[in-house]
Amino acid sequence: ELDEIELYRVRDYRLERPFLLRLFSLGNIELRTTDESNPHVELRAIRDSEQVYELIRKWVEECRVKKRVLPLNLEQI
């Protein structure tokens, strides 16, 4: 099974590095999206998770600029 999410749909990201995973240089990355079919995505046991997390942040911002998409905070409306 292959699920895809457009990067401009990523609303928030979070990096978790529990002790056991840190021992193996691994971490979990959580993505909150505006995608109806995949509002919450977890990438588990990612090697070099801090670097991957920063790459995702960079790519999300680049994609938003390219597509001229501004993040919308519905909680403030």
Side-chain angles (χ1 to χ4, degrees):
E1 183 177 325
L2 177 65
D3 286 327
E4 293 182 6
I5 295 176
E6 296 293 338
L7 287 176
Y8 69 88
R9 293 190 175 273
V10 175
R11 191 179 78 220
D12 195 21
Y13 7 71
R14 181 173 162 202
L15 173 63
E16 286 187 333
R17 296 194 63 223
F19 178 72
L20 188 58
L21 290 180
R22 274 194 314 251
L23 292 175
F24 299 99
S25 299
L26 302 173
N28 299 326
I29 300 172
E30 294 181 23
L31 304 174
R32 303 259 181 214
T33 76
T34 58
D35 188 274
E36 291 182 17
S37 60
N38 290 311
H40 183 242
V41 176
E42 286 189 59
L43 307 172
R44 296 180 180 217
I46 302 298
R47 183 169 310 283
D48 300 321
S49 56
E50 289 180 29
Q51 293 172 348
V52 173
Y53 175 81
E54 289 302 323
L55 282 174
I56 290 172
R57 285 176 46 111
K58 177 184 170 194
W59 293 336
V60 166
E61 293 306 316
E62 287 178 7
C63 188
R64 284 181 182 159
V65 168
K66 183 178 177 182
K67 293 211 174 252
R68 298 181 179 173
V69 174
L70 296 174
L72 179 62
N73 190 347
L74 296 176
E75 294 171 359
Q76 293 180 350
I77 296 176

